[in-house]
Amino acid sequence: MEKLVISGGKSLKGSVDINGAKNSAVAILPAAIMASEGKCTIDNVPDIEDVHCLERILRSLGCTVNKLDNNTLEIDATDVRSVEACTDDVRRMRASYYFIGALLSRFKKARVELPGGCPIGVRPIDQHIKGFEALGASVTIEHGAVIVEAEHLHGANIFFDVVTVGATINVMIAATLAEGTTVLENVAKEPHVVDVANFLNSMGADIKGAGTDIIRVKGVEKLSGCNYSVIPDQIEAGTFMIAAAATKGDVTITNVIPKHLESIAAKLIEMGATVEEGDDSVRVYVERDLKGVNVKTAPYPGFPTDVQQPMSALLSIVPGKSLIAESIWESRHKHIDELKKMGATIKVEGRTAIIEGSEKLAGASVIATDLRAGAAMVIAGLVAEGVTEILEIEHIDRGYPHIEDKFTALGADIVRVIE
Ligand code: EPU
């Protein structure tokens, strides 16, 4: 068992390099299976457990995966021999559902176990299924696996009922090798949707409009290997921005796309922090008392749901009342009980957390109930008086590369203990 042990109270100072985006990488890796010739060399891949999981799944399907360095993978999918992804790794993570779209697109059939992922509410895949069916596939669910099959895939007009990152990416992937043009409407506009579209285009796809409300995919006959670099992680960057403000530090967060961080920067500025934008960096520091704010999560370019939990740790030590209204996931406040163990005063009503900022938090033994909850507990531990130990950190390792090393380099007292 591993845990993080933090002695709080140190102000973070210095600079931290952000890794590639988890939520891009976890779609790009499955999509690489669509290259029927040549190798995909993908760099800026974060060294996280979700990526390790995908590497194993790719190998189990017959891909050759070489790790050229910690952040560069070379994937050769020319000899894929199986369209069945039914291992424990598949069940463990959410993004394994991208194998449904990718295998369907290239082989016109797939059998993929239903995905797992963070316990943050009901996570249906009805919009993925609706899209695959519109493209001409039959979709059935048997013994916990999704089975898709098509004689051939054809273009279609698809209007999503909800704005969904997963279905937008998955159906875009599936449409890439379909015959004719697919028009996707009411799509997600997150940076990682654009990144996956750019990756597919680098392999030879013809996708336009990613990042707007309408994506047009003109089907092509085949995809080939390419060289590609994953965009920086908006959520990892947001987590460090919030940690800088929470510890009243001065941190420059490098290798970021500042545009992707605007909603987070705007909230920190509203609270009283200073955020300076560089070309590929943001500097966050605090020179005056911060005040409480209201946060409502929304699809991009709104405030990201994935940063809401770290934000709740910051707001719990800022005087005054703050609200966090979670509009994407119905159950993303499980970490609040852990924050309360550290002295936070927070009430959850439905999907809203009502926070009465306390002067300080006190170290305690807490658990990472999910990935971003874990990040919230790290931030709480950094500002708390005394020692905080965070258990169940496998959730954190799924999405944050070498988190303790990065915070240590900024002056935090945080160690990983293996028991
Ligand atoms: N939804 C449906 N039907 C569907 C798909 C989604 O009703 O077929 C609903 C969901 O229930 C939710 C909303 O649509 O209420 C948005 O879901 P979305 O599909 O956008 O989420 P996702 O693709 O499952 C990804 C990220 C999440 C992030 C959300 C929202 C990955 C692997 N996961 O999930 O990231 O919270 O988008 O931005 O990309 C995280 O990184 O911590 C994380 C949970």
Side-chain angles (χ1 to χ4, degrees), residues 104-145:
L104 175 65
S105 199
R106 178 168 166 194
F107 298 104
K108 308 294 172 269
K109 57 181 177 184
R111 180 191 173 94
V112 178
E113 291 272 338
L114 281 165
C118 283
I120 51 182
V122 184
R123 302 186 76 171
I125 56 164
D126 58 301
Q127 298 302 303
H128 303 236
I129 293 173
K130 164 174 149 165
F132 298 147
E133 287 178 340
L135 296 174
S138 73
V139 184
T140 50
I141 297 183
E142 269 175 30
H143 308 295

Side-chain angles (χ1 to χ4, degrees), residues 367-378:
I367 57 170
T369 52
D370 60 71
L371 168 58
R372 310 300 172 187
M377 301 325 295
V378 170

Side-chain angles (χ1 to χ4, degrees), residues 2 56 65 136 147 250 265 283 301 306 341 403 411:
E2 298 189 7
R56 292 191 291 268
V65 184
I147 300 158
D250 183 349
R283 176 181 170 208
D306 299 341
K341 288 182 193 164
I403 194 164

Side-chain angles (χ1 to χ4, degrees), residues 35 118 137 196 215 243 292 296 311 323 329 353:
C118 283
V196 179
I215 297 178
K296 186 173 165 66
M311 193 66 172
L323 298 181
W329 300 113

Side-chain angles (χ1 to χ4, degrees), residues 22-23 97 124-127 164-166 306 328-329 332 372:
K22 163 190 164 272
N23 287 343
Y97 58 27
I125 56 164
D126 58 301
Q127 298 302 303
T164 136
V165 170
D306 299 341
I328 313 287
W329 300 113
R332 212 170 195 183
R372 310 300 172 187

Side-chain angles (χ1 to χ4, degrees), residues 233-243 260-261 263-265 267-268 295 297 302-315 324 326 332 335 372 375-376 379 400:
D233 196 309
Q234 175 203 27
I235 309 303
E236 191 195 14
T239 303
F240 279 96
M241 290 169 77
I242 290 168
H260 296 166
L261 304 172
S263 62
I264 305 162
K267 238 348 124 184
L268 292 176
V295 175
T297 65
F303 192 93
T305 168
D306 299 341
V307 181
Q308 172 268 100
Q309 290 159 296
M311 193 66 172
S312 68
L314 166 59
L315 292 176
I324 295 184
E326 169 56 54
R332 212 170 195 183
H335 64 297
R372 310 300 172 187
I379 292 171
Y400 288 93

